[in-house]
Amino acid sequence: MKIDRVELRLVAMALKEPFTTSFGTVDRKEFIVVTVYADGVRGYGEVAALPAPLYSYETTGTAWLVLEQFLVPAVLGREWCHPAEVPRFWKHLRGHAMAKCGLEQAAWCAWAEGQGLSLARALGGTRDRVEVGVSIGIQPTVARLLDLIGDYLDRGYRRIKIKIKPGWDVEVVREVRRHFGSIPLMVDANSAYTLADASHLERLDDFGLMMIEQPLEEDDLVDHAALQRRLRTPLCLDESITSASSGRKALDLGSCRIINIKVGRVGGPTAARELHDVARERGAPVWCGGMLESGIGRAHNLALASLPGFVLPGDISASDRYWHRDIVVPPVVMNRDGTIPVPDGPGLGFAVDEQYLESLTLKKAVFAH
Ligand code: OSB
Ligand code: MG
């Protein structure tokens, strides 16, 4: 297969509600849609980076630059047989995982489409539906958080994740448990604590949480291991796991017992699959994380989450949890039982509403071989 045209689009979509974590608030998702044309078929990918370097150092701006100057030139006009070969074209380029991921996803999508395979089948997925949860941002009041949780539980979501930070943690979790009893519940701190907070975090052990996600800094595998030794609750790492190799090290060090796999954070579907395999060999559960993706990134996440090691509900909520109108048709819809069907049509498995996408496009660049 040979990619002879790449289109980049910077797209902005307003979230239904602002999303607040310990690192800040996102009220409008800005992202890059990558479209590739290869052997007469089209493939789509999504760069998950946020406009500001809050979650990771990447931004939509850095991703655009790296795609335009390095990644697109590295792949345009090159011959390949299978999309897992595509990351080799930029093996010598450091970092910028989310930028790489958008382009590699588009290559997978085009290849699957060309083979008449769904993305899930192309990746080796084994499930026809995946269990999903919802990630709820920090709210202005506990009452508002309880309302939201009640609403998402009524819709059928299989687990609730709440964002925490110092001052919005133990007492909030206590209230949630008091109102909703033993629902599947977890928390995500997005690196808001240090090891000096260990005795405070130990108090979370009283609530039977499924896991505590990323309490400490991104580069703190050693401190996470020290913290995990003090807690009964499993730690799950998100930001810290940037490759299959860092996942192996984290599990072997005891820095976590569970891994959140975000395809963008690890640099694309090939690396995400490797990380899945490393965790599976070690008996560690994984689940699919989210970056408030549009339907394009969400379709890729559904395919990834259909792999056998994804045994916990993912942060892959329905389109209507984020958007008034999604760019895929039909939108991503959740069944009443808290599962989302994995599309089985060729390629992405959803149609992209090209006209609507065009109307949301702030900037566009075309590269042809
Ligand atoms: O830490 O998992 C995170 C969103 C943006 C950046 C980081 C995170 C998140 C989420 C939302 O938790 C997950 C989703 O519903 O897409
Ligand atoms: Mg997280």
Side-chain angles (χ1 to χ4, degrees):
M1 205 162 210
K2 191 166 83 184
I3 296 173
D4 51 31
R5 180 185 168 92
V6 179
E7 292 169 3
L8 301 181
R9 280 190 176 77
L10 178 66
V11 176
M13 264 162 85
L15 282 160
K16 275 186 168 175
E17 281 191 34
F19 186 77
T20 299
T21 75
S22 63
F23 61 63
T25 297
V26 181
D27 42 24
R28 149 178 186 269
K29 183 77 205 276
E30 208 180 284
F31 57 99
I32 299 170
V33 173
V34 182
T35 312
V36 301
Y37 296 78
D39 303 358
V41 292
R42 187 157 51 178
Y44 296 96
E46 174 168 340
V47 176
L50 304 177
L54 299 170
Y55 166 80
S56 78
Y57 68 87
E58 286 190 86
T59 70
T60 37
T62 65
W64 187 279
L65 181 107
V66 169
L67 278 159
E68 176 173 66
Q69 295 192 358
F70 302 105
L71 302 175
V72 173
V75 77
L76 259 187
R78 303 282 292 272
E79 281 287 349
W80 45 275
C81 296
H82 188 272
E85 294 161 29
V86 168
R88 290 186 206 153
F89 296 136
W90 50 70
K91 217 175 66 198
H92 58 295
L93 300 172
R94 289 183 194 278
H96 302 285
M98 293 183 185
K100 290 172 177 170
C101 176
L103 189 49
E104 194 197 325
Q105 281 181 330
W108 277 88
C109 185
W111 183 80
E113 178 96 34
Q115 301 283 315
L117 282 176
S118 67
L119 266 178
R121 282 288 297 282
L123 281 167
T126 52
R127 265 178 250 282
D128 63 359
R129 75 196 74 147
V130 299
E131 289 184 45
V132 299
V134 62
S135 170
I136 308 179
I138 292 165
Q139 300 299 315
T141 63
V142 173
R144 166 93 180 120
L145 175 66
L146 298 176
D147 275 354
L148 281 174
I149 294 175
D151 184 51
Y152 288 128
L153 289 172
D154 287 346
R155 288 168 193 254
Y157 283 103
R158 293 262 184 130
R159 71 91 171 104
I160 300 292
K161 158 167 144 183
I162 62 173
K163 295 287 188 176
I164 58 166
K165 65 173 183 183
W168 180 270
D169 50 27
V170 177
E171 295 315 312
V172 175
V173 171
R174 187 188 311 284
E175 281 305 296
V176 173
R177 274 286 181 241
R178 210 162 62 80
H179 274 78
F180 297 104
S182 61
I183 56 165
L185 181 66
M186 60 174 288
V187 295
D188 183 2
N190 289 107
S191 300
Y193 300 89
T194 71
L195 198 52
D197 301 309
S199 29
H200 180 68
L201 292 169
E202 273 173 9
R203 296 171 61 203
L204 289 172
D205 264 345
D206 295 343
F207 302 104
L209 298 174
M210 297 168 78
M211 69 196 90
I212 301 172
E213 183 177 341
Q214 196 70 39
L216 313 179
E217 277 300 329
E218 186 177 315
D219 63 354
D220 267 353
L221 285 191
V222 170
D223 284 2
H224 273 111
L227 180 63
Q228 180 66 93
R229 282 193 294 274
R230 293 181 57 170
L231 296 175
R232 281 191 314 267
T233 312
L235 292 183
C236 167
L237 290 177
D238 171 356
E239 284 90 328
S240 294
I241 310 301
T242 54
S243 62
S245 145
S246 66
R248 174 182 63 74
K249 289 164 194 163
L251 291 172
D252 290 352
L253 261 174
S255 314
C256 65
R257 298 186 193 140
I258 300 173
I259 293 178
N260 162 340
I261 300 188
K262 285 185 186 168
V263 62
R265 197 192 64 227
V266 298
T270 303
R273 211 163 55 158
E274 278 167 24
L275 174 55
H276 159 274
D277 295 348
V278 155
R280 200 146 183 254
E281 282 157 18
R282 285 162 177 72
V286 304
W287 53 278
C288 183
M291 289 291 291
L292 313 171
E293 288 90 349
S294 81
I296 293 176
R298 203 161 294 282
H300 282 279
N301 286 346
L302 285 170
L304 183 65
S306 75
L307 268 67
F310 285 79
V311 294
L312 293 168
D315 276 348
I316 316 175
S317 309
S319 296
D320 72 355
R321 179 259 176 273
Y322 311 89
W323 320 113
H324 291 290
R325 179 174 168 192
D326 205 339
I327 54 176
V328 297
V329 192
V332 178
V333 177
M334 183 180 68
N335 299 320
R336 288 293 312 159
D337 68 354
T339 63
I340 296 182
V342 177
D344 55 10
L348 200 64
F350 292 88
V352 173
D353 185 340
E354 290 284 346
Q355 243 175 5
Y356 186 49
L357 176 61
E358 199 63 36
S359 75
L360 299 171
T361 299
L362 305 175
K363 181 165 122 179
K364 182 174 164 180
V366 179
F367 308 86
H369 180 65

